Amino acid sequence: MAQTTIDLPVREKASEVKAQFGKALSKEFLFSPTWRNLNHGSFGAIPRAIQTKLRNYQDQVEATPDPFIFYTYPKLLDESRAAVAKLLNTPTETVVFVNNATAGVNTVLHNLVWNPDGRDEILHFDTIYGGCGKTIDYILEARAPLVSSRCIPLSYPCADSTILSAFESAVAASIAAGKRPRLAFYDVVTSLPGVRFPFEAITAACKAHGILSLIDGAQGIGLVALDLATLDPDFFVSNCHKWLHVPRGCAVFYVPVRNQPLIRTTLPTSHGFVPADDKPRFNPLPPSAKSAFVNNFEFVGTVDNSPYLCVKDSIRWREEVLGGEEKILAYQNGLARKGGKWVAEILGTEVMDNEEGTMTECAMVNVALPVAVGDKEGAEGPWPVVALEESGAATEWMLQTLIKDYETFIRVFVYKGRWWARLSAQVYLDEEDFEWAGQTLRALCARVVKGEYK
């Protein structure tokens, strides 16, 4: 029976929508009319056109499950791999898809074989995403005593050169302690605070020291410009469902050909695994001439991988409707910088940035709130103070109140004794949204000072 393929256009008359960022574009997305989506960086959002594509792929697999999964799906998957590889400037053979960045990080850490002398060490910064930090914790438990870790403390705001110096000092300290710096783990853009990390400089330093580089680009593709041919990391993973307008969950996982033999299995292990003794096992999948690495990740159990197939459609939508990556990044970054300053002016505080301005070279911005955390008697500055032991309850109250009373979500968090708000700039937002955010946060902080969280 012939496979039926329904190929709907991304959008008719796309040129009419070009450059109409902000409110004019918000109708292309699926938000509730009363909801302000100021936290795009956490879970992303898809336009209606991509939702149509997603459902189209799901309809196709339901119409003829076996033909689609066995024969159609691999071809469509290769198209998405080719599209994302072109965007990242890397050969198609170096990229596959996993569910999310955490899955990619786990895949690397679980596959690496640690030296039996127990000297291997993982270097990471204290800004590491919590889930990834716990992955390292697990590896230390499961592989003890073969591997240890070394955390590099940072204090934002700071210059990129300070971060690089801290890394160099950690490498030296590791060697002095008789350890072997084996792997460095770091971000493209950190989560909390949401700032651009000097990942290019750290990657170059890793090469100079012979250290494997593992880059967590959970906030990456679609947020900052990426050129993997120039960067040439050892391992890189980036969520497509955050800033690339791809349905959840989908992440691109890059491993250069030189390192693909290190990644022997997916998580979980499935049909693509090739055991050392090449023991034959029944494999229901059609024969493949693709590399062992690509074949390994093509089918990892039966799950709905329709989001993977949407990658090519999202990239095309961003080109045809939004005008391309350069235009998107310019708008997002400009809005974040301007919007962050407006919010800070409304609150009477400041944006988290260094003198070079490199921390805000992305579409997320962190603005200090006019409330401090700590001991009232030892507090510095003019801000009202909430006791440290009450800060957790106050933070949770703010998050829930933003949802309930203001119909928005802004990632509010405590860092170095101050509350901060992380805001995301996106193509469906404009200056008025940031002005509204500033007024909302000011009202929220006034309620905190009054003790409404108690």
Side-chain angles (χ1 to χ4, degrees):
M1 179 173 62
Q3 173 68 26
T4 302
T5 301
I6 307 170
D7 188 17
L8 298 177
V10 173
R11 181 180 173 86
E12 295 180 0
K13 300 180 180 180
S15 59
E16 296 181 5
V17 185
K18 275 190 177 182
Q20 296 181 20
F21 293 149
K23 295 292 191 299
L25 193 62
S26 62
K27 66 180 182 297
E28 299 296 315
F29 289 79
L30 299 154
F31 306 122
S32 165
T34 58
W35 180 259
R36 298 226 190 197
N37 204 58
L38 300 172
N39 188 41
H40 186 99
S42 281
F43 302 112
I46 60 172
R48 298 178 187 277
I50 301 305
Q51 184 193 54
T52 298
K53 282 289 185 180
L54 174 69
R55 291 178 173 175
N56 171 247
Y57 295 128
Q58 293 170 334
D59 287 346
Q60 288 186 53
V61 71
E62 294 304 325
T64 54
D66 292 275
F68 186 89
I69 293 172
F70 283 145
Y71 300 104
T72 304
Y73 168 75
K75 295 177 182 177
L76 295 175
L77 185 66
D78 287 345
E79 292 175 7
S80 276
R81 289 177 49 242
V84 79
K86 181 179 179 181
L87 181 60
L88 293 172
N89 191 28
T90 187
T92 303
E93 64 183 340
T94 65
V95 294
V96 291
F97 294 112
V98 291
N99 293 137
N100 48 58
T102 304
V105 168
N106 272 262
T107 300
V108 174
L109 292 176
H110 282 265
N111 271 278
L112 288 181
V113 177
W114 308 101
N115 287 298
D117 59 11
R119 294 176 53 214
D120 286 347
E121 196 162 63
I122 301 170
L123 306 182
H124 68 87
F125 295 83
D126 64 359
T127 50
I128 189 172
Y129 182 66
C132 294
K134 287 193 172 183
T135 303
I136 292 177
D137 294 339
Y138 172 78
I139 292 298
L140 299 188
E141 286 186 13
R143 303 293 187 265
L146 298 181
V147 60
S148 59
S149 69
R150 184 175 298 268
C151 182
I152 307 170
L154 297 178
S155 183
Y156 284 132
C158 63
D160 289 350
S161 58
T162 300
I163 297 175
L164 182 59
S165 295
F167 179 75
E168 293 286 356
S169 296
V171 172
S174 177
I175 295 172
K179 296 292 186 177
R180 179 190 301 109
R182 177 82 184 285
L183 176 78
F185 182 98
Y186 49 96
D187 301 280
V188 172
V189 174
T190 59
S191 177
L192 295 176
V195 298
R196 194 185 194 280
F197 196 78
F199 61 95
E200 300 98 334
I202 301 297
T203 303
C206 287
K207 290 182 184 299
H209 291 290
I211 300 171
L212 292 172
S213 54
L214 170 54
I215 304 180
D216 179 4
Q219 310 276 2
I221 190 169
L223 174 62
V224 298
L226 295 166
D227 182 346
L228 295 187
T230 300
L231 185 63
D232 192 30
D234 288 298
F235 307 100
F236 172 86
V237 62
S238 189
N239 285 328
C240 299
H241 60 247
K242 284 185 183 276
W243 294 90
L244 201 65
H245 300 127
V246 173
R248 307 173 199 96
C250 174
V252 56
F253 180 40
Y254 160 89
V255 181
V257 173
R258 67 177 182 273
N259 289 333
Q260 289 179 5
L262 300 177
I263 306 299
R264 299 201 57 241
T265 181
T266 54
L267 296 179
T269 300
S270 192
H271 293 296
F273 174 67
V274 180
D277 61 2
D278 203 19
K279 180 185 299 182
R281 300 281 189 185
F282 171 70
N283 185 347
L285 303 175
S288 173
K290 298 171 188 175
S291 71
F293 174 72
V294 172
N295 190 55
N296 206 357
F297 285 84
E298 190 165 272
F299 183 91
V300 186
T302 303
V303 293
D304 182 5
N305 285 335
S306 301
Y308 299 177
L309 307 184
C310 292
V311 171
K312 63 183 183 304
D313 303 307
S314 293
I315 292 173
R316 187 174 69 175
W317 185 84
R318 288 163 65 86
E319 176 64 35
E320 294 182 354
V321 177
L322 303 186
E325 299 302 313
E326 185 176 347
K327 189 173 184 179
I328 294 168
L329 297 186
Y331 179 82
Q332 290 178 169
N333 293 1
L335 179 59
R337 282 180 177 266
K338 292 179 182 177
K341 290 179 180 179
W342 291 329
V343 173
E345 288 178 6
I346 292 171
L347 297 177
T349 62
E350 71 277 351
V351 170
M352 182 184 289
D353 205 356
N354 52 27
E355 292 183 2
E356 298 83 359
T358 56
M359 293 173 62
T360 56
E361 288 181 348
C362 64
M364 292 201 294
V365 62
N366 308 273
V367 182
L369 300 184
V371 186
V373 178
D375 182 358
K376 290 180 182 292
E377 295 181 359
E380 298 181 1
W383 314 116
V385 178
V386 172
L388 180 61
E389 61 269 21
E390 297 178 359
S391 61
T395 299
E396 185 60 28
W397 178 86
M398 283 193 278
L399 295 174
Q400 293 195 25
T401 300
L402 283 167
I403 296 172
K404 178 171 61 74
D405 293 355
Y406 302 100
E407 294 193 85
T408 192
F409 189 92
I410 298 172
R411 175 48 69 183
V412 176
F413 62 100
V414 175
Y415 182 75
K416 305 295 183 182
R418 288 288 299 280
W419 261 300
W420 297 81
R422 189 193 73 185
L423 295 152
S424 297
Q426 249 297 333
V427 293
Y428 50 73
L429 299 175
D430 57 27
E431 294 89 342
E432 189 274 334
D433 291 299
F434 276 80
E435 181 180 357
W436 179 90
Q439 299 292 351
T440 298
L441 288 169
R442 185 169 67 176
L444 185 73
C445 289
R447 295 174 66 178
V448 169
V449 172
K450 290 178 181 178
E452 290 190 35
Y453 64 90
K454 297 181 180 177

